Amino acid sequence: MLKHKDLLGIENLSTDEILEILNTAESLQEVSSRPIKKVPTLRGKTLINLFFEASTRTRTSFEIAGKRLSADVINISPATSSVSKGETLIDTARTLDAMAADCVVVRHSASGAPAILAKLTRAAIVNAGDGAHEHPTQALLDALTIRQRKGTLSGLKVAIIGDISHSRVARSNVHLLTKFHSHVWLCSAPTLMPVEIEKMIDENREYLHLTHSMKDAVADADVIMMLRVQFERMSESFFPSVREYFRYYGLNLARVQGAKPDVIIMHPGPINRGVEITSDVADGPYSVILDQVSAGVAVRMAILYLLMGAHGSSD
């Protein structure tokens, strides 16, 4: 069982809780291969997707996950809600609580927004990405993909390359993979490293490594995880040009050759082809990007099951 009613981040999860989510996800994967992709597990439960930021993969997979478990799923976006009329997050939380929702999946541009909702509602709150803080369900689906391809989450070399500074995916993956004693190499331009990078390294000195050399990051890597350059979060120029960025931090087939022969290439999406990765790599034999999408539905089914079904709605 999960220890809390909410899933707000990876940092506070134990390895046992992570493994429970991954094992549950594996057991639920076969539901998606059935002719009728539905089980009655969460019949009578209500799931609300509350996305204050644009999303395709995360929002859609949570909707599919809820419906495959027979929950009633409601999607709310700011443009069609009272938020557009000035309603505060606190008022939104109280409204949702009065509706007796069983689970609310929240994506918000402000770090900590899901934690605020968790304190104000009886519903289980799932963080679907908050600012540059965390994206726990993405890290969990990445972990499921890695474990199914590599057979383990321990002792691997994982290179995470790209816009580290703005990436909640990178932070959640660092928390998860270092818990299992894999070595994580963060690689980007100095301007795209988070200001708290030294603190992160101090906290995980044995398993977290920093480099500005893509060659060093990729060398003998078991996993290469490319990150999207988040232009929409940039208020200033962080590198001279896209061409210059790709020259130093773009992944092509020549650079893949420096990794292990059985390396897997990952990307949380959406992909900026030609900016952080070439099409022949993104669509090539090393890529497990579509596996990540499939794993995402299973992981989110597992989370909803553990929070709304097996665990219930209280601590």
Side-chain angles (χ1 to χ4, degrees), residues 60-313:
T60 301
S61 64
F62 266 113
E63 183 173 0
I64 291 172
K67 289 181 176 179
R68 287 188 179 167
L69 293 171
S70 298
D72 296 316
V73 182
I74 300 168
N75 294 317
I76 301 176
S77 63
T80 57
S81 73
S82 293
V83 172
S84 63
K85 302 176 183 178
E87 183 174 83
T88 67
L89 185 64
I90 292 174
D91 287 333
T92 298
R94 288 169 176 163
T95 300
L96 295 174
D97 202 40
M99 292 178 179
D102 296 287
C103 181
V104 181
V105 178
V106 184
R107 171 170 286 194
H108 202 284
S109 60
S111 299
I116 292 173
L117 287 175
K119 293 177 181 178
L120 297 172
T121 66
R122 289 166 289 180
I125 301 297
V126 178
N127 180 3
D130 62 330
H133 174 229
E134 277 218 49
H135 193 345
T137 64
Q138 179 68 44
L140 288 162
L141 73 87
D142 291 343
L144 180 61
T145 305
I146 292 170
R147 191 173 75 165
Q148 290 183 329
R149 286 297 187 122
K150 296 296 180 181
T152 184
L153 290 173
S154 301
L156 302 172
K157 179 180 178 179
V158 181
I160 302 180
I161 302 167
D163 186 359
I164 308 291
S165 178
H166 300 97
S167 179
R168 51 200 176 203
V169 172
R171 286 170 174 80
S172 286
N173 270 293
V174 166
H175 289 313
L176 193 152
L177 293 165
T178 55
K179 285 178 189 287
F180 287 91
H181 300 168
S182 278
H183 289 268
V184 178
W185 286 66
L186 299 179
C187 176
S188 78
T191 53
L192 290 175
M193 282 292 183
V195 294
E196 72 274 20
I197 187 64
E198 294 301 330
K199 179 182 177 183
M200 292 171 64
I201 292 175
D202 285 342
E203 292 173 349
N204 298 278
R205 186 162 293 279
E206 187 175 355
Y207 299 106
L208 185 59
H209 313 273
L210 170 65
T211 181
H212 301 304
S213 164
M214 195 167 177
K215 181 179 179 181
D216 292 344
V218 168
D220 295 320
D222 297 284
V223 179
I224 300 173
M225 186 179 298
M226 301 304 296
L227 299 176
R228 180 176 66 89
V229 178
Q230 299 187 40
F231 293 105
E232 73 279 6
R233 296 183 187 273
M234 297 180 181
S235 57
E236 56 186 290
S237 178
F238 284 77
F239 46 84
S241 67
V242 169
R243 183 176 180 179
E244 189 77 359
Y245 177 85
F246 184 81
R247 178 184 174 188
Y248 289 100
Y249 299 107
L251 187 66
N252 56 26
L253 280 175
R255 284 180 166 146
V256 172
Q257 302 309 311
K260 288 186 177 177
D262 62 346
V263 67
I264 59 174
I265 309 297
M266 308 181 76
H267 195 300
I271 301 171
N272 289 324
R273 294 172 184 263
V275 177
E276 66 258 3
I277 190 170
T278 58
S279 289
D280 55 354
V281 175
D283 303 326
Y286 303 103
S287 174
V288 295
I289 294 171
L290 293 181
D291 290 16
Q292 291 174 267
V293 176
S294 299
V297 174
V299 162
R300 283 148 185 157
M301 287 175 70
I303 290 165
L304 296 179
Y305 167 72
L306 291 170
L307 292 179
M308 298 167 70
H311 190 288
S313 58

